[in-house]
């Protein structure tokens, strides 16, 4: 195991350069930005990433919130090796297998809500959201949805209709699924009413609830045709935005008033990321439907799961897929959940360290506009001026690349935010190493 990052060759080194060039020649364009993250991964072990040129990095990105137990986790690997000798594909939506039942039992027992639940299995976040949309329409007979500005829920035509964090994600794709209405998210730092939501959380919550209830549902969206309100308990791709504590309780009251389902997207913030298994547990609300993916299989196997109130279930044939309930994915997920459960107190402990170290940045530098987070999910937003809050994308990008050069992998999110999302089992020493590199880089870039 490594004790600190070692960058021998400035990334991208010669081997990395060649692969990046070939990648862009042969692989479809997605979200890579070789200018700020020219990282070509050869191996991963725990919180360490080793690139093709032999550089060793500390991973504060967990592969976009997937490897919550670190790379090549022993407990997950052990279970996978066991299943590799038994069976791989058992056609989990047509035949039966015990491991998918075990996983469904586990997920339904740990998900919030004092009611019976069932699970639909898929392979990704977007699919678990698509299933949530279908379950909602199927069970209520209603067609419409409410979602939040800055949300990210995926990129297939249903989830894309909910996604509202960057125009580029939607440009040229209209028509996506019709019937989605967007409302402002209660972002304490940046909202249409310019309310300081840290100082006045109730005022911010009231404005958002009033906006939905009065402006939307009282003017042009018939409430009895709205199937569900889809939300992230903490916005991820939109910038790691933590809403006021009582927001979801108020949202639940509103939803109950009109018989609207609450659909909680835990794809990025679930699986212990915030110090609770489900991020919504911080807000004491039980959603009707929960979408999971990403860290559910710790990256060993792609898996998505939609946990829902049992009475909302489909009829046979109404929804299915080929790989849902895949043996290896379910086995990896069960092992991952068991490990994450043990780590929750550690994550809450680490939160204190991150809070202490990062809030200092906001106090020191006016261009660090906001620092926010819970557990091991932290966002640092860069602005050109604290008064205008104009996004400082250039500085943000520079910090991402300079951190990589110093051996720390971090990811951008939102318009000018960096997210820090180390593995949940990061040691205090590793966390301190990463935070000190990050702070040093911010200091250099801002001075
Ligand atoms: C909150 C949230 N929902 C859904 C998705 C889509 O997941 P996937 O990329 O697995 O389709 C993401 C991906 O970043 C996400 O962060």
């Amino acid at each position: 195991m490594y004790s600190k990052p070692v960058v021998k060759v400035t990334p991208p080194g010669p081997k990395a350069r060649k692969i990046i060039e070939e990648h862009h020649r042969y692989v479809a364009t997605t979200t890579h930005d070789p200018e700020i993250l020219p990282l070509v991964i050869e191996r991963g072990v725990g919180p360490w990433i080793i690139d093709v040129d032999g550089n060793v990095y500390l991973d504060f990105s967990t592969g976009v919130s997937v490897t919550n137990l670190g790379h090549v986790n022993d407990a997950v690997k052990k279970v996978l090796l066991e299943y590799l000798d038994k069976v791989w594909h058992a056609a989990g939506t047509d035949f039966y297998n015990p491991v998918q039942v075990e996983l469904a039992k586990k997920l339904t027992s740990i998900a919030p809500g004092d009611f019976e639940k069932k699970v639909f299995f898929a392979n990704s976040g977007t699919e678990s959201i698509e299933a949530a949309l279908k379950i909602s329409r199927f069970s209520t007979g209603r067609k419409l949805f409410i979602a939040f500005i800055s949300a990210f829920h995926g990129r297939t035509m249903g989830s894309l209709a909910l996604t509202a964090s960057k125009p580029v994600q939607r440009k040229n794709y209209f028509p996506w699924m019709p019937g989605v209405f967007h409302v402002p998210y209660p972002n304490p730092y940046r909202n249409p009413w310019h309310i300081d939501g840290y100082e006045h959380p109730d005022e911010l919550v009231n404005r958002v609830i009033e906006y939905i209830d009065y402006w939307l549902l009282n003017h042009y969206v018939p409430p009895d045709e709205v199937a569900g309100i889809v939300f992230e308990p903490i916005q991820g791709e939109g910038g790691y935005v933590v809403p006021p504590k009582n927001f979801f309780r108020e949202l639940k009251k509103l939803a109950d008033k009109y018989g609207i389902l609450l659909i909680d997207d835990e794809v990025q913030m679930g699986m212990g990321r915030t110090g609770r298994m489900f991020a919504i547990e911080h807000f004491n609300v039980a959603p009707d439907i929960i979408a999971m993916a990403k860290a559910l299989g710790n990256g060993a196997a792609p898996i998505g799961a939609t946990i829902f109130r049992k009475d909302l279930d489909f009829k046979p044939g109404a929804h299915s897929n080929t790989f849902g309930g895949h043996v290896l994915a379910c086995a990896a997920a069960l092992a991952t959940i068991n490990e994450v459960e043990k780590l929750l107190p550690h994550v809450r402990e680490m939160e204190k360290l991150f809070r202490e170290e990062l809030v200092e940045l906001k106090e020191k530098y006016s261009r660090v506009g906001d620092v926010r987070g819970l557990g091991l999910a932290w966002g640092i937003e860069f602005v050109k001026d604290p008064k205008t809050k104009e996004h400082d994308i250039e500085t943000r990008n520079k910090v991402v690349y300079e951190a990589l050069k110093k051996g720390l992998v971090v990811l951008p999110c939102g318009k000018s935010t960096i997210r820090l999302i180390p593995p949940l089992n990061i040691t205090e020493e590793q966390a301190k190493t990463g935070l000190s590199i990050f702070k040093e880089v911010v200091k250099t870039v801002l001075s």
Side-chain angles (χ1 to χ4, degrees):
M1 194 59 105
Y2 306 92
S3 61
K4 60 177 176 31
V6 183
V7 180
K8 295 186 265 185
V9 198
T10 300
K15 289 185 182 161
R17 251 177 231 287
K18 183 164 184 287
I19 289 165
I20 291 171
E21 194 196 298
E22 290 193 339
H23 178 103
H24 287 283
R25 196 172 328 146
Y26 294 111
V27 183
T29 303
T30 57
T31 42
H32 295 96
D33 184 347
E35 297 296 314
I36 66 165
L37 273 173
L39 174 63
V40 182
I41 298 176
E42 184 162 273
R43 268 185 319 120
V45 47
W48 306 102
I49 288 173
I50 298 91
D51 79 3
V52 286
D53 293 290
N55 292 323
V56 179
Y57 306 88
L58 189 50
D59 183 9
F60 270 28
S61 75
T62 45
V64 201
S65 208
V66 171
T67 51
N68 278 12
L69 301 175
H71 295 277
V72 194
N73 175 266
D74 282 339
V76 180
K77 183 173 149 187
K78 184 168 170 280
V79 174
L80 275 178
L81 288 175
E82 202 181 291
Y83 276 93
L84 274 174
D85 274 336
K86 277 192 192 166
V87 62
W88 298 359
H89 177 67
T93 53
D94 287 60
F95 307 147
Y96 303 92
N97 71 68
V99 67
Q100 106 165 281
V101 177
E102 272 316 298
L103 178 59
K105 275 160 89 176
K106 182 73 188 178
L107 285 170
T108 54
S109 72
I110 60 174
D114 196 13
F115 41 78
E116 285 194 88
K117 305 171 196 96
K118 291 183 97 172
V119 184
F120 177 84
F121 286 115
N123 315 285
S124 62
T126 195
E127 282 175 273
S128 62
I129 289 292
E130 295 291 338
L133 297 177
K134 279 186 156 184
I135 289 163
S136 309
R137 281 189 170 172
F138 192 87
S139 62
T140 63
R142 299 178 178 196
K143 309 279 182 246
L144 310 180
F145 292 94
I146 294 171
F148 290 91
I149 296 170
S150 298
F152 189 90
H153 296 290
R155 294 175 185 260
T156 48
M157 288 301 185
S159 66
L160 182 65
L162 306 168
T163 289
S165 66
K166 293 190 185 104
V168 67
Q169 294 156 348
R170 301 177 140 224
K171 194 173 160 64
N172 296 331
Y173 295 130
F174 190 80
W176 39 79
M177 181 188 81
V180 177
F181 299 87
H182 284 94
V183 297
Y185 193 74
N187 178 339
Y189 179 64
R190 200 183 271 285
N191 55 72
W193 307 281
H194 303 281
I195 295 168
D196 180 338
Y198 297 120
E199 290 291 320
H200 308 287
D202 291 342
E203 193 187 339
L204 178 58
V205 168
N206 291 343
R207 287 288 174 96
V208 174
I209 297 295
E210 177 195 49
Y211 187 94
I212 303 173
D213 200 4
Y214 181 71
W215 294 107
L216 213 70
L217 300 177
N218 237 306
H219 283 78
Y220 66 107
V221 180
D224 60 353
E225 289 184 15
V226 178
I229 302 175
V230 189
F231 64 85
E232 292 161 275
I234 293 169
Q235 283 192 332
E237 298 303 309
Y240 276 53
V241 179
V242 186
K245 199 86 190 159
N246 67 340
F247 175 60
F248 293 108
R249 276 199 302 273
E250 294 304 316
L251 191 68
K252 169 96 179 115
K253 278 190 215 158
L254 178 77
D256 285 350
K257 182 163 116 183
Y258 297 114
I260 298 172
L261 300 174
L262 279 191
I263 304 166
D264 172 18
D265 182 343
E266 295 269 348
V267 168
Q268 184 146 176
M269 292 298 163
M271 291 303 288
R273 172 55 56 199
T274 66
R276 305 272 167 207
M277 185 59 81
F278 300 87
I280 194 67
E281 290 175 68
H282 290 281
F283 303 93
N284 287 324
V285 162
D288 303 286
I289 302 176
I290 298 176
M292 311 270 296
K294 282 192 182 280
L296 185 53
N298 202 55
I303 178 164
T306 311
I307 310 163
F308 56 95
R309 258 178 35 209
K310 191 178 177 180
D311 57 298
L312 307 177
D313 200 6
F314 293 116
K315 298 254 179 314
H319 192 40
S320 187
N321 58 26
T322 296
F323 288 117
H326 191 272
V327 173
L328 298 180
C330 289
L334 265 171
T336 303
I337 293 171
N338 289 337
E339 292 304 302
V340 167
E341 275 179 332
K342 294 181 221 160
L343 287 167
L344 296 176
H346 175 69
V347 176
R348 295 197 285 271
E349 205 47 46
M350 285 291 100
E351 173 183 321
K352 291 179 203 155
L353 175 68
F354 273 69
R355 190 178 299 284
E356 240 172 62
E357 299 269 331
L358 293 171
V359 167
E360 202 184 289
L361 286 176
K362 189 173 163 177
E363 286 156 6
K364 254 192 184 155
Y365 306 105
S366 61
R367 280 157 67 197
V368 174
D370 197 22
V371 171
R372 58 222 172 203
L374 272 180
L376 285 171
W378 286 86
I380 298 92
E381 181 163 339
F382 294 89
V383 291
K384 289 190 175 157
D385 177 325
K387 286 205 178 66
T388 62
K389 297 184 182 176
E390 190 186 341
H391 291 288
D392 193 345
I393 301 165
E394 219 179 20
T395 295
R396 189 272 309 272
N397 290 354
K398 229 184 227 172
V399 172
V400 172
Y401 182 48
E402 291 304 316
L404 186 76
K405 282 169 40 185
K406 295 269 181 284
L408 180 72
V409 182
V410 299
L411 279 166
C413 64
K415 299 212 182 298
S416 58
T417 299
I418 287 178
R419 63 188 119 176
L420 300 185
I421 42 174
L424 308 185
N425 49 9
I426 190 125
T427 64
E428 189 175 335
E429 197 188 331
Q430 291 160 346
K432 281 184 174 162
T433 302
L435 285 166
S436 107
I437 295 174
F438 184 73
K439 288 191 339 186
E440 203 48 44
V441 167
V442 171
K443 184 176 154 192
T444 313
V445 171
L446 287 183
S447 57

